[in-house]
Amino acid sequence: MENSYLILKKVLLLLDVPFTKEYLKDQVASHPEQESLLTISDTLNHYKVDSLGLNLSVEKLDQIPLPCIIQIQENGHPYFSILTKAEIDSVDYLDEKGKIKNTSKEEFAKNWTGVTLLLEKSDKSGEPGFKARQQDAFVFRFLLFSLVLISLIGLLGFSQPIFVNQTHALIIMSLLLLKAIGLFISSVLLWSEVDKDNKAIKDYCTGGKNTDCNSVISSFSLPGGISLSIIAFAYFFSGVLFVLLSSFSGSGLHLLGYLTLSGVFISPISIYYQWAKIRKWCVLCLWISTVLLAEILLSQIFLVNSGSIQFQELTMFSFLFLGTVVAWLSLRPYLLTNKELQKQKSKLARFLSNTEIFEHFLSGSRSISNNPEGLGIMLNPDCSF
């Protein structure tokens, strides 16, 4: 699916045909033969883009309209690409990762199988229901942006931070920046639990032979399904909210200074566990360990003597931390179910659109022995005819 989806997305962009990514993914995923020229051709037909499959020689390149879809075979591995430019001595086409590659015609001819799909768009080309989906997406993004903006304004207005001096302000902003970075990394790590097939996360987390975030995360969890990902996310998320809600108070910063000491134990244990036990590395986990160590240095130098710990603030942080964990444990089953439902929906769509299965059942069904000429079908029993 990845190659077909990538090519279709790129070619629709090049042809300036409006589309939405999710709808395009559904179309490719529901096709019975995902990685084939038939998938690409049928999907383009759904977008009202005409296509014609040919087998050409390199001498015909200057006679065909561009862009067009071609098949490349490198190191015995075939994949579909897009030819974007053909000059006298060189050509431009997309490599397997979707990046433009310039090469000579002679080198190109060695890898090109000759399989070509010519394309032609019309005034009617486009995605069915595109405007309605765009409108829905715009409304959702607007509401989400408004919610975030109002929340930030409310938190900042409620906290009313008072900085002693510029150095104090710089320390607080540095702490918030570290927690925001940690929150982003832990969010990606947490989402990888739900979307294990996410291409962007997989490419980043499986860059080497001994690099695999999913293996590390799934190898350890606390009772109740509490994973390392949610612990990291809850720590950084509650930390950001706590800093804002506590009005940057000295006692609150003092509490955070002591909480960062947990990284003294967590980071070495995490690194040892990956190195000695699993023998695989989680890149995102290493980045979180780095952020924790940076927090330790910052807090132990500047924050440990900023005030005494207040019971109310300890209660507030505990509520935020535990509330985040409980919220995720409640939400995760629905996200996993929705992800599985999408997979089953794609499988069912591929089954229903498979012509070979239809022809198989048709061949086994009873045929009509009588002449059907003059046969009528009554749809309404009250019909007068």
Side-chain angles (χ1 to χ4, degrees), residues 3 43 117 122 159 166 175 241 256 287-288 362 381:
N3 182 233
T43 305
L117 189 68
S122 66
S159 61
Q166 290 184 349
L175 179 63
L241 286 182
L256 290 179
W287 274 113
I288 288 178
L362 183 64

Side-chain angles (χ1 to χ4, degrees), residues 72-111:
I72 300 293
Q73 185 160 354
E74 294 180 347
N75 301 319
H77 174 61
Y79 65 90
F80 295 109
S81 176
I82 301 175
L83 183 66
T84 58
K85 184 187 293 185
E87 298 181 341
I88 298 176
D89 298 321
S90 64
V91 297
D92 288 354
Y93 69 96
L94 270 62
D95 62 16
E96 197 169 3
K97 294 183 178 179
K99 297 180 180 179
I100 296 292
K101 181 177 181 180
N102 180 269
T103 185
S104 64
K105 270 192 176 180
E106 291 77 10
E107 189 66 27
F108 173 75
K110 295 178 183 177
N111 298 324

Side-chain angles (χ1 to χ4, degrees), residues 179 182-191 227-240 288 320-321 324-325 327-328:
K179 290 200 173 293
L183 179 60
F184 172 76
I185 299 172
S186 59
S187 299
V188 176
L189 195 60
L190 190 62
W191 184 247
S227 63
L228 295 176
S229 305
I230 182 55
I231 293 175
F233 177 82
Y235 170 77
F236 289 112
F237 181 73
S238 55
V240 171
I288 288 178
L320 293 172
F321 182 86
T324 304
V325 174
W328 172 251

Side-chain angles (χ1 to χ4, degrees), residues 4 10 20 22 37 55-56 64 73 99 103 106 117 120 146 161 173 177 191 218 259 270 309 319 357 370 375 384:
S4 297
K10 294 286 186 181
T20 55
E22 290 302 319
L37 200 62
N55 200 320
L56 303 175
I64 60 176
Q73 185 160 354
K99 297 180 180 179
T103 185
E106 291 77 10
L117 189 68
E120 184 180 11
S146 301
M173 291 301 106
L177 177 62
W191 184 247
S218 60
L259 289 173
S270 173
I309 297 176
F319 173 79
I357 295 176
N370 299 327
L375 180 66
S384 59

Side-chain angles (χ1 to χ4, degrees), residues 23-157:
Y23 187 85
L24 180 60
K25 281 183 181 179
D26 287 342
Q27 289 299 310
V28 177
S30 61
H31 199 279
E33 314 219 357
Q34 294 180 0
E35 294 297 339
S36 66
L37 200 62
L38 179 62
T39 301
I40 297 175
S41 177
D42 287 347
T43 305
L44 288 173
N45 182 59
H46 188 75
Y47 281 80
K48 292 183 172 57
V49 176
D50 295 329
S51 60
L52 177 64
L54 298 171
N55 200 320
L56 303 175
S57 61
V58 71
E59 290 78 15
K60 300 288 186 179
L61 285 180
D62 56 348
Q63 302 176 23
I64 60 176
L66 301 179
C68 66
I69 297 172
I70 57 175
Q71 187 183 48
I72 300 293
Q73 185 160 354
E74 294 180 347
N75 301 319
H77 174 61
Y79 65 90
F80 295 109
S81 176
I82 301 175
L83 183 66
T84 58
K85 184 187 293 185
E87 298 181 341
I88 298 176
D89 298 321
S90 64
V91 297
D92 288 354
Y93 69 96
L94 270 62
D95 62 16
E96 197 169 3
K97 294 183 178 179
K99 297 180 180 179
I100 296 292
K101 181 177 181 180
N102 180 269
T103 185
S104 64
K105 270 192 176 180
E106 291 77 10
E107 189 66 27
F108 173 75
K110 295 178 183 177
N111 298 324
W112 181 36
T113 64
V115 174
T116 308
L117 189 68
L118 302 184
L119 310 171
E120 184 180 11
K121 67 173 263 189
S122 66
D123 295 337
K124 297 181 179 179
S125 297
E127 181 177 285
F130 172 76
K131 290 184 178 179
R133 290 190 194 89
Q134 283 292 93
Q135 185 178 17
D136 292 344
F138 173 78
V139 171
F140 177 78
R141 286 195 294 265
F142 175 77
L143 293 175
L144 184 62
F145 174 78
S146 301
L147 177 63
V148 173
L149 182 62
I150 292 171
S151 299
L152 288 175
I153 293 173
L155 286 171
L156 291 174

Side-chain angles (χ1 to χ4, degrees), residues 262-312:
S262 60
V264 174
F265 305 100
I266 294 175
S267 296
I269 291 174
S270 173
I271 294 172
Y272 173 78
Y273 189 74
Q274 295 175 64
W275 172 68
K277 298 293 183 180
I278 309 177
R279 299 188 182 277
K280 288 185 179 293
W281 295 100
C282 171
V283 180
L284 296 174
C285 299
L286 295 176
W287 274 113
I288 288 178
S289 296
T290 303
V291 173
L292 288 174
L293 292 174
E295 275 194 349
I296 292 171
L297 291 175
L298 179 67
S299 61
Q300 297 308 305
I301 294 174
F302 298 105
L303 301 179
V304 290
N305 296 319
S306 54
S308 59
I309 297 176
Q310 300 294 324
F311 177 76
Q312 295 88 341

